[in-house]
Amino acid sequence: MSGEGLDALERQVNRDLRVIEHPKLKWLPARKHPTGAQIYDVLIVGAGQGLSASLARRARAENITPLLAARNTGKLEDLLKETQGHAHPCDTSEPASVDKLFDWAASEFGVPELVIFNASARARGPIAELDPDEVRRVLEIAAYGGFLVGRAAA
């Protein structure tokens, strides 16, 4: 793999998520397998059955190993079998949990070439009726968690 698979995944993610490309974005070179083949990994944080599952399938189709992180990795069993991926539990609202995730990924697979943050939680209802503690939990998972993952990936 000459990097074309990773480039294709990057373009697809950018199109699907309408991400604006940053001019300083640089990709790490792929690691080499003992056979000489290049190895690429994508770490998908907040994996589930929707968008992240589609990205994991697309990664595998491009010979990129999906590393999936979720609060409940048990829900990923079928996806892991389908994509030959690997999973690790992670609560994105907890700094220690995010650090353990990145330690696991680096020690088992090397530094991932791509990290996708897709963790979310929802508080539903009219704003005047939302429970402030529930909204705090949502923001800790989605916003603060995004910060923690971005920091760990940097």
Side-chain angles (χ1 to χ4, degrees), residues 112-134:
E113 284 70 35
L114 178 63
V115 176
I116 298 171
F117 181 77
N118 192 46
S120 66
R122 292 164 195 78
R124 294 192 168 108
I127 193 165
E129 298 174 15
L130 291 177
D131 177 358
D133 290 331
E134 184 65 16

Side-chain angles (χ1 to χ4, degrees), residues 57-148:
R57 289 183 189 103
R58 176 64 187 242
R60 178 45 67 198
E62 298 290 338
N63 292 319
I64 300 169
T65 303
L67 308 177
L68 308 177
R71 285 173 286 185
N72 174 8
T73 57
K75 68 182 180 182
L76 302 174
E77 287 181 23
D78 291 340
L79 182 61
L80 291 170
K81 289 176 188 171
E82 178 185 348
T83 63
Q84 301 170 345
H86 306 275
H88 193 273
C90 182
D91 178 346
T92 62
S93 68
E94 295 294 332
S97 184
V98 173
D99 290 344
K100 285 179 185 176
L101 170 66
F102 278 83
D103 289 346
W104 165 78
S107 67
E108 295 291 321
F109 306 97
V111 176
E113 284 70 35
L114 178 63
V115 176
I116 298 171
F117 181 77
N118 192 46
S120 66
R122 292 164 195 78
R124 294 192 168 108
I127 193 165
E129 298 174 15
L130 291 177
D131 177 358
D133 290 331
E134 184 65 16
V135 172
R136 177 180 291 142
R137 184 187 71 80
V138 167
L139 293 173
E140 286 174 348
I141 291 168
Y144 182 59
F147 159 73
L148 293 174

Side-chain angles (χ1 to χ4, degrees), residues 7-72:
D7 291 342
L9 180 62
E10 176 191 0
R11 287 190 304 274
Q12 185 68 39
V13 168
N14 285 339
R15 276 194 303 271
D16 288 353
L17 301 179
R18 292 170 179 49
V19 174
I20 298 171
E21 292 186 32
H22 191 283
K24 293 183 180 178
L25 186 65
K26 295 183 181 180
W27 297 101
L28 298 171
R31 296 176 314 285
K32 293 279 187 182
H33 186 272
T35 63
Q38 290 180 323
I39 302 170
Y40 294 97
D41 301 313
V42 57
L43 176 58
I44 303 172
V45 182
Q49 300 305 315
L51 174 63
S52 53
S54 296
L55 292 170
R57 289 183 189 103
R58 176 64 187 242
R60 178 45 67 198
E62 298 290 338
N63 292 319
I64 300 169
T65 303
L67 308 177
L68 308 177
R71 285 173 286 185
N72 174 8

